[in-house]
Amino acid sequence: MDLKDLEIYPFIKDRLDRIPRVTVKAGEYISRAGKADGGLFYVVSGYMRVECVSHEGKKILVDNLGPDNFTGKISRVQKAYFACDIFAATDCDFLFLESKVYEAMMKDKGFSELFYRKISNRVYQMYKGRLVRSFYSLAELVAYHICSRTGKDQIFEYRSTLSLCEELDISRRGLYNILNKFLEKGYLEKEVGSSRYYVRNRRELEKICSEVRRYMEEQEP
């Protein structure tokens, strides 16, 4: 995505000499819990994951965000620090707004409105994502995940089983059972030796997840 296409661009165009653009590879950590790296990250391209890790080492997916969104230790803005790690789920690049730059920009009403709208929307999406897991079956959720991430090439591919299970909040066994059922019914075809699937009957998958899609993508009347 070109910088000029980002919503933040009008507020940074005169500050680009003080706002580094950083490129990272998939799997690289961008911020670690407990590390003093004040400032914000604004995603230009790719996807980042935000995770919280319990004292027992259990990972909880907090957010999965893409281009044109803020991330970072945003909870500090409200004096409510959540210890989270942020890493690149895919190759991605982002703008780093160092604390002094970000604090100066927050004095601009237009920028502060953009910032709070963006983060409030992320919170809403996270909450909605949690609710959908209570309303619909795992098969419906997996079907929606596949359909919403499959393009015109009809290829569905995930980075790792672990990340997919975390995102869907499902066990490996549960995921494999559903995928195998879709394979048996001819909805999918798996490429041998990879995590790539070819969608062979999208119409049936869309039927399965129609209620989930309506819930996740419905607009206000």
Side-chain angles (χ1 to χ4, degrees), residues 16 20 23 27 37 46-47 59 73 82 99 118 120 125 131 143 149 155 165 172-173 179 212 220:
L16 290 176
T23 300
D37 50 4
Y47 287 83
K59 291 184 179 180
K73 295 185 170 63
F82 303 143
S99 295
K118 288 284 189 182
S120 63
Q125 291 300 328
L131 286 178
R149 289 164 175 76
I155 294 175
C165 287
R172 286 174 180 262
R173 178 178 292 181
L179 290 176
V212 179
E220 292 293 338

Side-chain angles (χ1 to χ4, degrees), residues 114-170:
L114 171 68
F115 173 75
Y116 285 116
R117 174 170 59 82
K118 288 284 189 182
I119 62 172
S120 63
N121 182 61
R122 294 310 308 165
V123 173
Y124 170 76
Q125 291 300 328
M126 286 187 279
Y127 182 58
K128 197 170 186 178
R130 283 292 172 184
L131 286 178
V132 77
R133 293 174 177 82
S134 302
F135 296 158
Y136 302 101
S137 70
L138 292 177
E140 290 174 290
L141 296 177
V142 173
Y144 176 71
H145 187 89
I146 292 171
C147 289
S148 62
R149 289 164 175 76
T150 300
K152 293 181 179 180
D153 58 5
Q154 300 304 316
I155 294 175
F156 170 69
E157 188 170 16
Y158 53 90
R159 186 173 61 87
S160 72
T161 302
L162 176 61
S163 62
L164 183 57
C165 287
E166 289 175 345
E167 188 167 349
L168 294 172
D169 195 18
I170 185 175

